[in-house]
Amino acid sequence: MSTTETTATATGFISGDRRLSAEELMARVARAATVLDGHGVGPQDHVAIMLRNDLAFLEATYATQALGAVPVPVNWHYRGQEVAHILTDAAVKVLVVHADLEAQTDGAVPAGCVVLVVDTPPEIATAFGIDAAAAPADRSWEDALDAAAPWTQEPRPSAASTIYTSGTTGVPKGVQRFSPLDPTDPAVAASLAALAIAPGMRTVICGPMYHTAPNVFAVLAGRMGGLVVMQPRFDAVQLLALVQRYAITKLHLVPTMMVRLTRLPAEVRDRYDVSSLDNVVHAAAPCPEAIKRACIDWLGPIVNEYYGGTETGAVVACTSKEWLAHPGTVGRALPGCTARVLSQDGVELGAHEIGDVYLWNEGFGDFTYRGRQEDREAIERNGLVTVGDVGYLDDDGFLHLCDRRKDMIISGGVNIYPAEIEAVLITHPDVADCAVIGIPDEEFGESVAAVVQLAEGAAGDANGLRAFVRERLAGFKVPRTIEFDDDMPREDSGKVFKGRLRARYWPEGTAI
C-alpha cells in the first residue's frame, strides 16, 4: 500500500499511514469477491463484518454487494452468544473479523460459517491501547486476497439490506428490507442528501461503522470519488487535525462528539483551519441547544441535522437557518416522508402536544424484523412506525424530540424527559458529560438521578449542580441523586450506555 501524498490533495482511502487509491481499493474488492464466492457466498446470502473502522470494512462490504449478497455489520463489542445470535439469525456464510477480536467469537460461530481474519493494523492498536495482531495463516484475509484472481463477472443485482439494531431490550433485531433501495427515488435521494452525501466529498469516518448511519455514510462516501479517511476511534483534537490536513469537506457526527469538540479550549480549536468544511451533519440523539448554537457560532451555518431510524432512513431534516428559526427542532418531513405525533391510543395530536413519534419514508418501503414479525407489527400504527421516541410538532410542522420513551422517567405520575435535564447540566462548567436516569423511589415510583463526569479540576459540588438546574427548570426535574463517575460505560461514539447505569440502581432484570 502506498504511503505517499498524505496531504490536502489526496484522494482515495486513508487509514493511519496506509493509503489506497480508488483503483487500488477496487482491485482488492475484486479479489475479495472471488474469495467470498469461493466460500459459497451468492445472491441474498449474508456476510458478517466484525471490524473496527478499517479499510477492510469497505473491502468486505463492496465485495459482498458485488455478489448480490448482504453485508451485516456486527458490533465489535459483542461476545459469545451476542455474536452467535446474529450469525445464526442471519444464516451468515462468512464472518470477517479483526485478529484481536476473534477470541470474542469462540463458541459462537455456527457450523458451515467460514471465518476470515483481518490483521489488526497499527493505527487501531494505538487508538485502543492494544497489541497489533496478525491473522492466522489459514484464515488470513490478506493472504486470501493475495492468492485470488480478480472477480470479472458483472456485478449481481443488489440485495435488500439486513441491519441489526443495537437493541433497546433483549437481543438485537435484524431490520430486513423487502427490496433494495432505488437511489433515483425522490424520497431516497432526499434522505441521502440529508446525510450530506455528494460526489467528490472528502470526509473522516469518526463514528463506529457497526452503527447504521456511520456505516451508510462511509459506504456511500467511498463510492463518491473523493477521499475517505478512517479514524479508528473518535478523538476531538485528532479530528480537527485530520480536517485541516486533508481539507475535509463533510462530516457526520453525533451530539456527544459535538459536545467534546465545542468543549475544547478556544485556543486549541483555533490552531486548526477547518474552513474547508461545507457540511457538518448530525443525528442519533437530541443535541443540547447550547451545544448546537456553539457549533453554528464556530463553524457557521453549515451544521445540519436529520432524524429517522434504521427502519425508516432519514425522514426529517433541517438546515442551520431552519434550526435557528425553530430552536431545538430535528427537522421537517422530507419529500416522500411523513412524521406524525400520536397519542398512546393512536389519535393524531395537535401542534405542541407531546406523544409518540411515528414515521414513514415511501422510498425505503416496507421491512420486517427478521424472524420477529410480531415485533414489527407492534411498532406500527396507521401505516407508520415508531422507533421509540417521544416529541411534538410545532406550528410549522417542525419535529421536536423530548426523549426516548424507554428513557422517560415517570415520577409521581409526571413525565420527566432526561434529555431536557442533560441539556442543562452539560452547560455547567464543572460538567464534562452527564446522563440522567430514573431510579427506584418508594414514594414516587421513580426519582431523577444524574451521573456526572466532572471536568478536569472540578471539585464535584452536588448541591451547586442542583441549584444550577433549579434556576433553569422546574423543581421536580432537579436530580435528587447525583453520582460522580469518571469512567461511565460508553459506546465508541462516546454515547453513554444508560442501561448499564440504571442496572446499578434497579433490581436485577428490571433495568433496561
Side-chain angles (χ1 to χ4, degrees):
M1 298 184 186
S2 170
T3 59
T4 61
E5 196 194 345
T6 54
T7 69
T9 62
T11 59
F13 302 84
I14 293 174
S15 182
D17 291 331
R18 296 178 297 149
R19 157 84 189 287
L20 288 173
S21 68
E23 294 75 17
E24 288 170 330
L25 183 125
M26 294 313 297
R28 289 176 59 82
V29 167
R31 295 197 298 273
T34 297
V35 172
L36 296 179
D37 175 71
H39 288 298
V41 175
Q44 309 301 323
D45 286 334
H46 290 82
V47 173
I49 303 172
M50 189 172 169
L51 302 172
R52 297 184 176 91
N53 289 8
D54 190 0
L55 300 178
F57 205 126
L58 291 176
E59 294 168 0
T61 297
Y62 294 153
T64 300
Q65 292 173 334
L67 298 176
V70 183
V72 178
V74 178
N75 186 326
W76 61 262
H77 291 282
Y78 286 171
R79 296 173 177 271
Q81 288 306 306
E82 295 170 312
V83 179
H85 165 70
I86 293 178
L87 299 185
T88 303
D89 191 65
V92 166
K93 284 285 189 74
V94 175
L95 166 66
V96 183
V97 61
H98 268 139
D100 68 289
L101 302 175
E102 189 184 10
Q104 295 174 202
T105 70
D106 284 351
V109 181
C113 177
V114 174
V115 178
L116 296 174
V117 184
V118 176
D119 296 342
T120 304
E123 64 271 19
I124 288 178
T126 298
F128 289 92
I130 59 177
D131 293 331
D138 61 335
R139 299 192 301 281
S140 169
W141 175 258
E142 194 67 32
D143 290 352
L145 264 62
D146 287 345
W151 175 264
T152 57
Q153 298 183 33
E154 289 295 317
R156 294 169 180 164
S158 297
S161 64
T162 301
I163 299 178
Y164 281 78
T165 67
S166 55
T168 57
T169 59
V171 295
K173 299 186 290 289
V175 180
Q176 186 170 29
R177 311 221 76 81
F178 292 145
S179 59
L181 299 182
D182 177 4
T184 65
D185 181 281
V188 175
S191 291
L192 298 182
L195 269 71
I197 302 297
M201 63 186 291
R202 305 171 64 81
T203 191
V204 178
I205 306 303
C206 50
M209 289 176 62
Y210 58 74
H211 279 313
T212 303
N215 181 279
V216 171
F217 186 80
V219 170
L220 293 177
R223 296 190 183 278
M224 289 290 134
L227 177 72
V228 175
V229 180
M230 294 289 181
Q231 187 177 31
R233 190 177 197 177
F234 175 75
D235 177 273
V237 174
Q238 182 189 64
L239 178 61
L240 295 182
L242 291 172
V243 169
Q244 174 177 286
R245 182 177 185 182
Y246 296 113
I248 298 301
T249 58
K250 303 183 191 302
L251 289 176
H252 186 291
L253 305 176
V254 298
T256 302
M257 297 173 179
M258 297 163 70
V259 170
R260 294 186 180 184
L261 286 162
T262 56
R263 281 294 178 86
L264 291 172
E267 60 270 21
V268 173
R269 293 203 309 267
D270 290 346
R271 291 176 197 158
Y272 300 97
D273 179 4
V274 296
S275 61
S276 59
L277 290 170
D278 58 36
N279 201 329
V280 176
V281 64
H282 68 96
C287 183
E289 288 189 28
I291 300 301
K292 182 74 171 268
R293 288 186 186 277
C295 280
I296 295 173
D297 290 344
W298 170 33
L299 298 172
I302 63 168
V303 182
N304 303 308
E305 186 168 0
Y306 71 91
Y307 165 74
T310 300
E311 293 85 345
T312 63
V315 173
V316 306
C318 65
T319 63
S320 289
K321 181 179 179 180
E322 289 171 326
W323 187 90
L324 290 169
H326 301 266
T329 186
V330 292
R332 185 162 51 182
L334 294 163
C337 296
T338 303
R340 293 181 183 155
V341 177
L342 307 180
S343 67
Q344 290 202 276
D345 56 4
V347 176
E348 186 168 355
L349 299 176
H352 299 282
E353 292 185 291
I354 296 174
D356 294 309
V357 177
Y358 279 78
L359 311 167
W360 194 249
N361 184 324
E362 290 293 342
F364 274 59
D366 206 359
F367 68 93
T368 189
Y369 291 127
R370 187 176 173 91
R372 299 168 69 170
Q373 181 60 20
E374 289 184 2
D375 289 339
R376 165 64 180 85
E377 293 170 358
I379 66 168
E380 181 171 348
R381 280 187 184 273
N382 307 335
L384 309 175
V385 298
T386 182
V387 294
D389 290 313
V390 176
Y392 64 90
L393 294 167
D394 66 20
D395 294 324
D396 296 320
F398 283 84
L399 178 64
H400 298 250
L401 298 182
C402 297
D403 217 324
R404 304 283 292 172
R405 178 162 287 283
K406 71 182 180 67
D407 288 339
M408 186 174 72
I409 301 167
I410 303 176
S411 183
V414 176
N415 293 344
I416 300 172
Y417 301 103
E420 181 184 19
I421 305 168
E422 292 163 353
V424 170
L425 277 172
I426 198 66
T427 64
H428 193 287
D430 287 352
V431 177
D433 201 0
C434 63
V436 173
I437 59 174
I439 65 174
D441 186 284
E442 289 186 4
E443 181 179 2
F444 295 103
E446 285 185 290
S447 65
V448 179
V451 183
V452 173
Q453 179 181 332
L454 292 170
E456 187 174 354
D461 179 3
N463 288 332
L465 292 177
R466 291 190 189 93
F468 183 80
V469 175
R470 190 173 287 109
E471 290 173 1
R472 293 159 175 81
L473 296 176
F476 66 86
K477 300 176 184 178
V478 176
R480 288 191 174 192
T481 301
I482 294 182
E483 173 189 347
F484 297 105
D485 186 345
D486 289 334
D487 190 26
M488 291 197 287
R490 298 180 183 279
E491 299 184 33
D492 299 325
S493 64
K495 186 177 180 180
V496 174
F497 287 113
K498 284 192 174 182
R500 297 183 189 176
L501 296 180
R502 281 190 284 264
R504 299 175 181 177
Y505 295 92
W506 290 91
E508 185 176 353
T510 62
I512 60 172

